[in-house]
């Protein structure tokens, strides 16, 4: 008898088992919503699917009477702009500092304790400080993402760089490579895909920091809209927005994974052979 650990689902099985939890959650929500609405037709906690579809149509495809904007798309653009800036700055800083810490002993000795302590500071605890220092405009929201994500990316990349086989560095020096050439030709090609993976793992925290900042001080954005309508218990707005944020995060993760697969195909081959 084949053990279950040796059984592999086919392509259709992968789709079925992957969709099963989502279908179960949707069915559970539909039943709970029907029960609550049967007891109280004015219940707002679990709105029916039809109400959420109508709300999405209004926010996404009907101009706002006051501003003339399509609110859902305006909020999406604002949030993605802040998220992109924050992750871009964090990624660039991590690439430079992380490789330097992992490769150069003096840099590691000087920055490793500081980065380790900085990574332990709860980013949400310094949010009021950021608002005081940088104001309530866009900069403070971007800085919060940078402060929250960069230390993790730096430490991860530094550890990955330090795990490179010493033989590679020695061989490059034996062939006459300078430190700069070793960084560009030996370290960087191996660290870029690992940095992309680290950014993928940081998407969740980055969205958390962004939504928190927008909830406190913003005039547009996905987090701003969610916290604006919460006072009215408008779950027909909140739930679709939460689902939309999840879709955006999933698409971002997929695009980064696709970028790694297209630009660094040798990485997957190396994992397979290992």
């Amino acid at each position: 008898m084949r053990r279950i650990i040796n059984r592999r689902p086919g392509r259709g099985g992968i789709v079925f088992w992957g969709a099963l939890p989502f279908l179960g959650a949707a069915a559970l929500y539909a039943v709970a919503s029907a029960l609550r609405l049967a007891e109280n037709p004015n219940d707002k906690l679990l709105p029916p699917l039809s109400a959420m579809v109508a709300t999405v149509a209004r926010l996404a495809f009907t101009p706002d009477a006051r501003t003339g904007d399509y609110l859902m798309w305006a909020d999406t653009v604002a949030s993605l702009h802040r998220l992109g800036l924050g992750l871009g700055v964090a990624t660039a800083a991590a690439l430079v500092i992380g490789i330097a810490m992992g490769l150069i002993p003096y840099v590691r000795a000087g920055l490793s304790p500081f980065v380790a302590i900085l990574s332990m500071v709860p980013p949400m605890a310094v949010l009021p400080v950021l608002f005081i220092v940088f104001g309530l405009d866009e900069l403070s929201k971007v800085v919060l993402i940078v402060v929250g994500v960069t230390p993790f990316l730096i430490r991860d990349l530094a550890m990955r760089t330090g795990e490179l086989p010493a033989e590679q560095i020695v061989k490059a020096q034996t062939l006459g490579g300078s430190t700069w050439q070793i960084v560009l030709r030996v370290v960087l090609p191996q660290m870029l895909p690992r940095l992309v993976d680290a950014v993928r793992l940081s998407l969740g925290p980055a969205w958390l920091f962004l939504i928190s900042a927008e909830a406190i001080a913003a005039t547009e954005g996905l987090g701003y809209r969610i916290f604006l309508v919460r006072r009215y218990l408008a779950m027909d707005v909140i739930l679709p927005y939460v689902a939309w944020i999840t879709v955006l995060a999933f698409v971002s993760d997929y695009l980064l994974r696709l970028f790694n697969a297209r630009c660094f195909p040798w990485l997957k081959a190396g994992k397979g052979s290992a």
Side-chain angles (χ1 to χ4, degrees):
M1 183 178 67
R2 291 182 61 188
R3 294 180 176 85
I4 192 171
I5 60 174
N6 296 321
R7 297 183 179 182
R8 298 288 187 272
R11 184 178 298 273
I14 292 176
V15 174
F16 171 77
W17 289 108
L20 189 60
F22 295 97
L23 295 175
L28 181 63
Y29 178 87
V31 171
S33 176
L35 292 176
R36 290 188 65 91
L37 292 173
E39 182 179 346
N40 178 15
N42 296 321
D43 182 74
K44 294 183 177 181
L45 184 60
L46 297 177
L49 181 61
S50 59
M52 290 190 285
V53 171
T55 300
V56 170
R58 173 174 57 85
L59 294 174
F61 305 110
T62 303
D64 181 62
R66 184 173 61 87
T67 63
D69 295 331
Y70 295 90
L71 294 181
M72 191 169 184
W73 301 119
D75 292 335
T76 300
V77 170
S79 291
L80 289 180
H81 180 254
R82 295 161 183 154
L83 185 72
L85 284 177
L87 284 177
V89 172
T91 302
L95 182 63
V96 175
I97 301 175
I99 289 179
M101 284 177 53
L103 190 63
I104 304 174
Y106 276 101
V107 177
R108 180 166 57 250
L111 291 182
S112 184
F114 176 76
V115 174
I117 295 298
L118 189 63
S119 67
M120 303 301 172
V121 178
M124 297 306 301
V126 300
L127 181 57
V129 178
L130 297 181
F131 282 147
I132 294 173
V133 175
F134 298 105
L136 301 178
D137 295 329
E138 300 297 299
L139 183 58
S140 58
K141 304 172 185 61
V142 174
V143 171
L144 178 63
I145 297 174
V146 174
V147 170
V149 172
T150 304
F152 162 75
L153 294 179
I154 290 175
R155 296 186 72 187
D156 181 77
L157 200 63
M159 289 188 292
R160 297 283 189 174
T161 303
E163 292 171 355
L164 287 176
E167 294 81 2
Q168 295 183 4
I169 308 299
V170 173
K171 186 177 293 185
Q173 294 180 77
T174 303
L175 295 174
S178 64
T179 300
W180 185 244
Q181 289 174 322
I182 293 173
V183 169
L184 291 181
R185 299 185 181 183
V186 178
V187 178
L188 190 61
Q190 299 183 71
M191 290 302 106
L192 281 177
R194 290 165 174 81
L195 177 60
V196 174
D197 284 339
V199 173
R200 289 176 56 199
L201 295 176
S202 301
L203 286 175
W207 273 106
L208 172 64
F209 303 143
L210 174 64
I211 298 302
S212 301
E214 290 181 341
I216 297 175
T219 57
E220 60 180 354
L222 298 172
Y224 162 76
R225 194 69 53 191
I226 289 174
F227 280 80
L228 177 68
V229 301
R230 83 189 191 284
R231 68 188 71 176
Y232 309 113
L233 298 178
M235 297 297 288
D236 58 331
V237 176
I238 295 175
L239 292 179
Y241 262 60
V242 172
W244 180 233
I245 291 172
T246 305
V247 169
L248 292 174
F250 177 81
V251 170
S252 301
D253 179 82
Y254 173 77
L255 291 177
L256 289 173
R257 183 155 49 92
L258 186 63
F259 174 82
N260 255 1
R262 292 288 178 85
C263 296
F264 311 104
W266 50 265
L267 182 65
K268 185 176 181 180
K271 290 180 179 179
S273 62

